[in-house]
């Protein structure tokens, strides 16, 4: 079984977690959200996934789990 992850935050730690997901044969990155659209686009392009809003990721029945990589104050 493969789990599909949504990633909230495309900064430094988001990139680390995206690579970890990509390195697991039982996981895939389904969508990325970030307050900076260019950051989300770049990470999504690197990992072959979609860019989506946080609300869209939360509502997506195809997303099995969410990795929260937003700044501490958020």
């Amino acid at each position: 079984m493969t789990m599909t992850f949504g990633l909230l935050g495309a900064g430094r730690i988001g990139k680390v977690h995206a690579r970890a997901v990509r390195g697991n044969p039982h996981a895939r990155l389904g969508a990325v959200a970030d307050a900076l659209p260019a950051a989300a686009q770049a990470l999504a392009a690197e990992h072959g996934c979609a860019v989506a809003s946080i609300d869209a990721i939360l509502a997506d029945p195809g997303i099995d789990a969410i990795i929260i990589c937003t700044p501490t104050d958020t």
Side-chain angles (χ1 to χ4, degrees), residues 12-61:
R12 182 185 57 82
I13 198 65
K15 292 174 186 174
V16 169
H17 286 293
R19 283 192 302 272
V21 169
R22 188 175 190 172
N24 185 325
H26 302 290
R28 68 178 284 274
L29 197 56
V32 175
D34 194 274
L36 301 174
Q41 290 284 349
L43 193 59
E46 181 179 343
H47 292 280
C49 68
V51 173
S53 69
I54 292 172
D55 290 336
I57 290 173
L58 292 173
D60 187 337

